[in-house]
Amino acid sequence: MKTGRLAQALPKPLRIMVMSALFGAAGSHAMSQDFRPPTGMAADAITFGADLDADGDPDEIELRLEIIEVVEEVAPGEVLSFWVFSPVAAGMTPVARLPSPTIRVEQGDRVRVVLENTHYFPHTIHFHGTVHANAMDGVPEITQKPTLPGESFTYEFIAQNPGTHFYHCHVQADVHVRMGLAGMFIIEPNRANNNFAPLVIGAGEVPDLSAASAETYATEHSLVYSDVDSDLHRLPLQVADPREIEWRMHRDYDSTTAKPDLFLLNGRSFPFTLLDTPIDVTVEGNALLRVLNAGERFINLHTHGHHPVLKARDGMNLPAQPVVSRDTFSIGAAQRLDLELKTTADEAYSSGPGVWLMHDHTEKTVSNRGINPGGDITTIIYDGFRDESTGLPDVPGDLTKFFDPAYYRGEVPVFPPEVFGTSAERYYDGWSKEDDGSLDYARRPEPAKIDQIPDVLASHRVVADRCESEARGSRRILIRGGTQYARAGEVFGFEPRRIEVGRCEEIELVFANSDQVRHALMVPGLNPMVSVEFTGPGMQRVKFLTPDEDVTLEFHCHVETHEKMGMVGQIVVGTGGVENHSAEHDQTAAHGPSRAERFHGTGTVISVDVGRGRVVLDHEEVEGFMGAMTMSFAVEPREQLLELQPGAEVEFVIDPKARAIVRIGASQSD
């Protein structure tokens, strides 16, 4: 596998889904057949083949990508829906986030990218800027038929032209690219023993340099800029029927009059960018900034204290002379720039160590819905200029106040009230926020608020335990799943959707997947949990004992949106009872502690997002609360996440009332 130099691996403020710590050590095992992708990915999400030129690294690579709908807080209080390409997952929490991952291959590689459309709309992939055959261009109806939900399509080409490129969906591109189906595609120059990780989830700091980059740079960053019309991204959160989503997005929504109000860098706005995408540098080495404008605005990228050198434009290297160096670079839609950020203080290129702002100098873009500071602001931060207690840049001012959603709701004064001879309590004395209509100026619209990421904990709580006595009977039950079982207003479905079983009955559940994509069948409320998952078409089975009580259990597909789009049903045990979603289940002694109490668990860290205060854990059964699974949790306070790294074994405490982990730390057995 391509792992390379992990000495650059993790900066202290952890980025979400940084994969390098999970890829293992680099070296001679690069083509080992026992390679396994990180937890959360399917075993064959990344496959390496032969070393065709015998230079010490594999020259065949296959990536399997699916399309996932993610719900993310991109700025304080701004919870929106996005669609992203993602490596095919294993488990209910995919390795997915905005933006779609940076893909890295080597010049001369034989590349296969399999698009498995797990989404509810048709899609394609266009590899923008690469050299490829016409049939691989990804334009619906022109070079291929759109890949429908449940179907797959394989793109094959030889990576020929080294440089920074772009990939995106070309179906209804005025909406689908905006929704997040876009990412950076890098072809690295061919070198011997050129081993590096092929995916960087969420972009940002590249965990390991290619051999060519390491010849010149100490660090490398992929920076994907995008702009968001928040009204568009709320639609999938407000509408369930795919027919209505299609009509509202592709007929009722006028993309030509869209009004972007959030401006993102690698899928986040300030202040989250300070923790998610800082430009970490040292005075000992220069940094390579690969910049992609995946949005529609014209970016005027300004680096305080530095004059980067332009090395390449749209994947094409520029001559070494004359040197093109500026403090502001203009980048149009779909364009890419490679910039060398020199970090040693001199009279031309660098002012030296400190915390330096970097942002689009189009002033409205450094706001979150019109409130400054926000947008794509981040910092060039030198080693030694970080507050270890918060993970934030060590600066004279107070950055923590910007993490409060109230600030961006306009409820907190910009300046200290003392400036105006008053206090916060008496700030509005003597004047009114209302006016008589005589004041005419542009005002911030108040959008429909969705300020909470959907709570999946409730639907995965333990409802009943499996029977502990001998089986009183047995039978085999076949459940079919896929697009062909969808009903009106659905895309996917199960058949049957209601199953009646006896108490303490041994069930052999056979799941038949009729699609070409990943489906799962999970009974989340049963302890231990029942789950079977695979990419079809095919058939797999699992055995379990039903509870020794009358209860109704839900079963669903845990692939993102499949439950919403029809893959949900019921298992009625005995005479049945209240099912998972609607129940305030009575936690009896058999089911562990009272709901009012806290629950203790252990697990492995998959990813960390300090800014948003979330962690993805692959955890064991949390007794009395939830079966073993991979799950994303809120963590309060978020500072507990600062020292956590992917792969760490942790112990944690869940408070159901807070819907969050309230304590998390290294496992005592470590």
Side-chain angles (χ1 to χ4, degrees):
M1 56 161 285
K2 298 192 170 186
T3 49
R5 294 173 48 191
L6 294 182
Q8 277 89 25
L10 286 171
K12 290 180 180 177
L14 295 167
R15 252 80 85 204
I16 192 170
M17 298 295 183
V18 175
M19 293 167 43
S20 59
L22 299 179
F23 266 88
S28 61
H29 76 290
M31 291 170 287
S32 172
Q33 294 185 357
D34 63 0
F35 162 70
R36 292 292 182 272
T39 302
M41 290 190 197
D44 56 352
I46 305 169
T47 303
F48 294 101
D51 180 1
L52 300 176
D53 56 8
D55 70 345
D57 58 72
D59 302 305
E60 297 175 322
I61 181 171
E62 179 177 289
L63 303 174
R64 292 174 53 218
L65 300 180
E66 57 188 8
I67 296 175
I68 298 296
E69 183 171 287
V70 296
V71 179
E72 300 193 337
E73 185 183 11
V74 296
E78 295 288 350
V79 176
L80 302 174
S81 175
F82 298 89
W83 306 335
V84 296
F85 296 107
S86 171
V88 170
M92 68 167 293
T93 302
V95 184
R97 63 156 282 180
L98 186 72
S100 296
T102 294
I103 299 176
R104 307 163 73 204
V105 299
E106 184 188 39
Q107 180 185 16
D109 278 358
R110 295 183 178 180
V111 180
R112 285 169 52 91
V113 178
V114 183
L115 173 62
E116 299 177 4
N117 190 359
T118 50
H119 196 242
Y120 45 84
F121 285 169
H123 298 288
T124 65
I125 302 178
H126 169 58
F127 293 92
H128 183 130
T130 68
V131 176
H132 51 257
N134 179 256
M136 298 291 105
D137 201 42
V139 181
E141 312 302 348
I142 304 299
T143 64
Q144 70 167 96
K145 293 181 179 180
T147 305
L148 300 179
E151 295 182 351
S152 67
F153 185 89
T154 300
Y155 298 89
E156 298 184 72
F157 54 91
I158 295 175
Q160 298 183 54
N161 51 327
T164 304
H165 306 296
F166 181 26
Y167 72 103
H168 60 85
C169 178
H170 223 292
V171 176
Q172 299 289 315
D174 62 321
V175 169
H176 290 201
V177 174
R178 285 175 170 170
M179 287 298 295
L181 291 174
M184 190 177 289
F185 188 89
I186 299 170
I187 300 178
E188 302 281 4
N190 188 287
R191 296 288 192 276
N193 299 308
N194 201 11
N195 299 303
F196 50 82
L199 294 173
V200 181
I201 304 300
E205 185 169 351
V206 174
D208 51 350
L209 300 189
S210 69
S213 290
E215 294 167 3
T216 306
Y217 304 104
T219 59
E220 180 178 330
H221 303 260
S222 53
L223 306 175
V224 179
Y225 288 82
S226 57
D227 36 70
V228 166
D229 177 357
S230 58
D231 289 338
L232 171 66
H233 292 268
R234 288 190 179 93
L235 284 175
L237 300 175
Q238 297 169 312
V239 177
D241 192 312
R243 298 168 295 183
E244 184 178 358
I245 298 175
E246 178 197 40
W247 187 83
R248 295 197 180 280
M249 281 190 160
H250 298 325
R251 289 295 178 265
D252 196 34
Y253 177 77
D254 184 353
S255 61
T256 67
T257 61
K259 295 181 179 179
D261 52 7
L262 291 169
F263 305 93
L264 311 183
L265 168 58
N266 289 342
R268 301 288 183 265
S269 286
F270 177 93
F272 293 159
T273 47
L274 298 178
L275 292 163
D276 186 78
T277 307
I279 310 301
D280 285 303
V281 298
T282 67
V283 295
E284 286 86 20
N286 299 340
L288 172 60
L289 308 182
R290 298 183 188 262
V291 183
L292 163 64
N293 183 359
E296 297 183 21
R297 73 186 192 265
F298 219 99
I299 295 172
N300 298 290
L301 185 61
H302 174 46
T303 49
H304 287 224
H306 297 77
H307 286 72
V309 175
L310 180 62
K311 308 296 289 186
R313 181 187 292 116
D314 290 347
M316 303 293 288
N317 289 334
L318 299 181
Q321 297 295 331
V323 173
V324 178
S325 178
R326 299 174 179 167
D327 63 25
T328 305
F329 286 91
S330 297
I331 314 167
Q335 291 187 323
R336 292 88 62 207
L337 297 183
D338 288 7
L339 303 176
E340 179 179 13
L341 186 73
K342 295 180 180 292
T343 58
T344 302
D346 57 24
E347 296 180 354
Y349 302 112
S350 173
S351 297
V355 177
W356 300 96
L357 214 62
M358 187 171 86
H359 61 95
D360 178 4
H361 219 297
T362 310
E363 301 300 349
K364 68 179 182 180
T365 70
V366 293
S367 73
N368 294 339
R369 291 202 307 109
I371 289 187
N372 178 285
D376 55 39
I377 293 173
T378 190
T379 57
I380 301 167
I381 179 168
Y382 281 74
D383 191 32
F385 285 85
R386 189 180 307 285
D387 183 338
E388 299 299 332
S389 65
T390 64
L392 295 169
D394 190 1
V395 296
D398 176 18
L399 296 173
T400 59
K401 64 183 179 183
F402 299 122
F403 287 86
D404 183 358
Y407 181 89
Y408 293 101
R409 290 196 298 265
E411 299 169 1
V412 177
V414 175
F415 308 117
E418 292 75 19
V419 170
F420 311 112
T422 186
S423 63
E425 293 74 21
R426 305 197 64 181
Y427 184 80
Y428 297 104
D429 288 358
W431 69 281
S432 173
K433 288 188 291 184
E434 305 299 325
D435 70 81
D436 58 6
S438 61
L439 298 176
D440 186 15
Y441 60 93
R443 307 193 185 208
R444 296 175 59 249
E446 204 56 47
K449 290 302 295 177
I450 301 172
D451 58 4
Q452 181 66 48
I453 293 176
D455 180 21
V456 296
L457 297 185
S459 62
H460 292 82
R461 294 288 304 269
V462 170
V463 173
D465 296 325
R466 295 189 195 182
C467 180
E468 295 183 355
S469 60
E470 292 186 3
R472 300 170 192 165
S474 64
R475 77 171 105 165
R476 177 181 297 150
I477 298 174
L478 173 66
I479 298 179
R480 298 178 174 88
T483 54
Q484 70 184 79
Y485 304 104
R487 300 173 183 175
E490 298 176 347
V491 176
F492 304 101
F494 283 130
E495 186 61 42
R497 301 195 186 190
R498 178 182 170 90
I499 300 168
E500 296 182 357
V501 298
R503 294 166 60 164
C504 285
E505 186 173 12
E506 183 182 64
I507 302 297
E508 182 180 31
L509 199 59
V510 181
F511 176 47
N513 180 1
S514 64
D515 289 340
Q516 299 174 31
V517 303
R518 179 173 66 104
H519 285 308
L521 194 155
M522 170 188 280
V523 186
L526 185 60
N527 183 40
M529 185 179 65
V530 173
S531 181
V532 57
E533 173 187 72
F534 61 99
T535 299
M539 189 178 293
Q540 289 191 17
R541 61 198 67 212
V542 62
K543 287 185 177 181
F544 65 95
L545 280 176
T546 63
D548 191 11
E549 61 178 296
D550 295 336
V551 65
T552 298
L553 301 169
E554 178 191 279
F555 65 89
H556 64 231
C557 179
H558 65 229
V559 179
E560 205 69 31
T561 75
H562 289 193
E563 177 183 356
K564 173 182 175 182
M565 292 297 158
M567 297 192 80
V568 62
Q570 294 179 329
I571 298 176
V572 180
V573 182
T575 60
V578 201
E579 65 173 309
N580 313 33
H581 274 355
S582 60
E584 277 295 315
H585 180 65
D586 179 21
Q587 292 285 351
T588 62
H591 301 139
S594 161
R595 290 178 69 92
E597 296 181 10
R598 297 179 172 187
F599 298 84
H600 297 253
T602 60
T604 303
V605 175
I606 304 303
S607 67
V608 180
D609 187 341
V610 178
R612 294 168 59 236
R614 298 194 72 85
V615 63
V616 176
L617 297 176
D618 182 20
H619 63 78
E620 301 297 325
E621 176 193 345
V622 180
E623 186 177 357
F625 184 79
M626 180 183 297
M629 65 183 73
T630 303
M631 179 74 76
S632 173
F633 296 91
V635 177
E636 298 176 358
R638 70 172 187 273
E639 284 78 15
Q640 297 180 85
L641 298 173
L642 283 170
E643 301 303 320
L644 294 187
Q645 296 189 11
E649 299 297 321
V650 295
E651 297 178 354
F652 58 91
V653 177
I654 296 174
D655 184 338
K657 288 187 175 180
R659 295 187 295 182
I661 288 176
V662 293
R663 189 166 70 248
I664 187 168
S667 173
Q668 298 301 310
S669 60
D670 289 352

